[in-house]
Amino acid sequence: MKTPHILYLHGFLSSPLSEKAQQTQGWMAKQGLAEHYHCPALPMSPKECARVIEAQVRALDGEKICVIGSSLGGFLATWAVEEFGLERAVLIDPAVRPYALIRQYLGPQQNYQTGEIYDIKAEYADDLLAFERSPANTEKYWLLLQTADEVLDYRQAVDFYRGCHQTIEDGGDHSFVAYADWLPRIWEFANGR
């Protein structure tokens, strides 16, 4: 059986330097799986994002891929699974209907880790809407949600991903507190166990 590759998709205004991305990279390295971890820096433009994700998937052609998506990365992970027929996705506090949320971020916004300034454009809402996909095979998805997420209403994800495996923890926050503790189980899921 092929060893899966992890494709980590970070969230909005985030980067591969985010805490969860770094924890995932570190955990994979400790397992001797560093070459099976991929975390591209995602541009702000949804269309550019899609191109970066597609290029990464094409580079891993023929490999088994499990996408881990956090927040907006969860939305994009769903698109990637449905668009390219990827095997699995773990969605951490995923954004549902981000095209409705992005309007509150129009104009200059700063990356949380790098400090880079982006100009968030109104047309990004329509672009995001074009990438919305519903899970065709609910067995491919596992949601990790925390009820005290201060950014997104976890109940929207519960509803949108109805029928998918869901783990809902009371409390926490949008960062998904104690995420690193879940990495061994995430790896099991990636392996289809």
Side-chain angles (χ1 to χ4, degrees):
M1 190 167 121
K2 282 187 174 179
T3 301
H5 286 255
I6 296 293
L7 175 56
Y8 187 98
L9 302 180
H10 61 73
F12 181 66
L13 298 176
S14 191
S15 78
L17 298 174
S18 74
E19 185 175 15
K20 289 191 295 292
Q22 290 291 298
Q23 288 172 335
T24 307
Q25 181 179 28
W27 188 86
M28 292 288 285
K30 282 182 187 163
Q31 313 308 309
L33 296 163
E35 71 281 1
H36 285 259
Y37 175 77
H38 314 273
C39 183
L42 299 175
M44 285 297 100
S45 159
K47 288 179 179 176
E48 287 300 315
C49 246
R51 282 193 267 277
V52 167
I53 294 167
E54 181 174 8
Q56 186 67 74
V57 170
R58 298 283 180 230
L60 294 170
D61 186 41
E63 299 293 337
K64 184 177 178 182
I65 300 173
C66 176
V67 191
I68 300 176
S70 173
S71 192
L72 182 59
F75 174 86
L76 294 168
T78 304
W79 170 78
V81 168
E82 298 303 324
E83 189 74 10
F84 305 113
L86 305 183
E87 284 76 14
R88 296 272 168 142
V90 178
L91 311 179
I92 304 148
D93 291 330
V96 176
R97 293 185 286 282
Y99 42 83
L101 299 171
I102 200 164
R103 297 182 198 285
Q104 46 193 303
Y105 295 95
L106 298 182
Q109 297 290 335
Q110 186 173 29
N111 185 291
Y112 299 126
Q113 290 87 37
T114 68
E116 186 178 353
I117 302 294
Y118 307 114
D119 183 29
I120 307 304
K121 298 176 172 31
E123 63 259 27
Y124 290 175
D126 290 337
D127 294 344
L128 284 168
L129 178 58
F131 291 114
E132 184 173 62
R133 300 289 185 277
S134 295
N137 180 351
T138 56
E139 292 181 9
K140 290 185 173 190
Y141 295 88
W142 180 20
L143 273 71
L144 290 170
L145 302 166
Q146 291 185 334
T147 61
D149 185 333
E150 74 283 9
V151 176
L152 301 171
D153 183 345
Y154 80 97
R155 293 169 295 190
Q156 291 183 346
V158 169
D159 185 54
F160 187 82
Y161 291 96
R162 191 169 305 286
C164 300
H165 181 55
Q166 300 184 7
T167 299
I168 305 168
E169 289 190 329
D170 284 333
D173 60 32
H174 189 60
S175 73
F176 200 88
V177 173
Y179 163 77
D181 296 344
W182 289 88
L183 284 164
R185 289 173 66 184
I186 288 171
W187 183 244
E188 291 293 306
F189 182 78
N191 278 277
R193 297 194 284 267

